[in-house]
Amino acid sequence: MKIEKLIVASRNSGKIREIREMLAPYRVAVLSAEEAGLPEVEETGATFEENARLKSETLAKLSGCFCLGDDSGLCVSCLGGRPGVYSARYVPNRDFDKGMDKLLDEMKQSGSSDRSAYFSCVLALTSPDGKTKVFEGRVDGIIAGEKSGCGGFGFDPLFIPDGFDKTFAHFTREEKNKISHRGRAFQKMIAAIFDEQA
């Protein structure tokens, strides 16, 4: 299977940039749904996989191209796994600075000292004939007591991955791509799909 063009079912510029960088060695033209003139697909699934499939399968049907749906989120133990699949909608007007304040406040109100959390990412790659392959990545860590760092996007300034003493917002993009939830899901997808076309 040779993929020359891939439409990503996302309008998140940070996410699109990361995906372009990870697929650059494979000579794949990566387009956002917006660049391809495709609509935003509403995430109505109850799991990361359901949402990723919903996005990739809908856009593949509309475009006749290979499409990648990605759903990811932050799951915080003391909040019962929230925000989880609702991570983007958890944030008021997609203002992650306010979203991080909200998260820290809810954790404080929970009364729990458990700061463990994980990021999960599910990628669904749908071919023009409607067949879908799914790849999952996860990174465990803790939520810092305060925001730190100015890189990355989303909840990165709060998340310290296991084995490190700094948040994702202090990592270079290359460092983050090696160990992040999305990076791990991509490593699985690249090994299964793209290595043969390197």
Side-chain angles (χ1 to χ4, degrees):
M1 175 193 332
K2 184 161 175 60
I3 301 174
E4 293 177 349
K5 182 168 92 170
L6 183 66
I7 297 171
V8 181
S10 174
R11 289 165 186 262
N12 180 321
S13 59
K15 193 183 284 188
I16 299 290
R17 187 175 59 243
E18 279 190 0
I19 291 170
R20 279 199 177 115
E21 286 172 0
M22 284 187 264
L23 293 181
Y26 304 96
R27 298 179 295 283
V28 181
V30 175
L31 298 176
S32 68
E34 192 171 23
E35 289 167 330
L38 293 166
E40 195 162 7
V41 180
E42 195 179 348
E43 298 179 354
T44 55
T47 65
F48 293 121
E49 181 173 339
E50 282 177 19
N51 282 331
R53 278 180 172 274
L54 188 64
K55 292 192 278 190
S56 69
E57 289 168 3
T58 301
L59 293 194
K61 200 178 285 183
L62 288 172
S63 68
C65 295
F66 281 96
C67 289
L68 184 69
D70 144 288
D71 195 31
S72 55
L74 177 67
C75 304
V76 180
S77 299
C78 71
L79 300 181
R82 289 187 310 109
V85 293
Y86 304 106
S87 291
R89 284 161 282 179
Y90 176 85
V91 174
N93 301 316
R94 300 209 176 218
D95 181 339
F96 274 93
D97 202 45
K98 287 183 180 163
M100 287 185 279
D101 291 339
K102 178 181 173 182
L103 185 78
L104 289 173
D105 191 49
E106 283 198 21
M107 288 178 70
K108 192 175 176 182
Q109 286 177 28
S110 78
S112 172
S113 59
D114 183 359
R115 305 198 72 80
S116 63
Y118 66 89
F119 270 119
S120 180
C121 171
V122 174
L123 300 175
L125 178 67
T126 302
S127 57
D129 64 5
K131 290 185 181 141
T132 301
K133 292 180 187 286
V134 173
F135 307 90
E136 187 171 359
R138 170 175 164 155
V139 58
D140 290 273
I142 59 166
I143 301 298
E146 59 184 16
K147 294 174 271 192
S148 174
C150 54
F153 61 94
F155 291 104
D156 284 356
L158 278 183
F159 185 79
I160 301 172
D162 283 351
F164 293 87
D165 59 2
K166 60 184 181 180
T167 69
F168 264 158
H170 286 283
F171 283 59
T172 65
R173 286 208 295 268
E174 293 78 14
E175 288 171 337
K176 184 187 168 193
N177 287 346
K178 282 179 188 164
I179 68 155
S180 74
H181 50 308
R182 188 168 295 106
R184 288 173 175 172
F186 260 89
Q187 285 158 23
K188 291 177 184 176
M189 183 177 77
I190 284 167
I193 307 289
F194 290 95
D195 274 344
E196 63 192 44
Q197 69 180 62

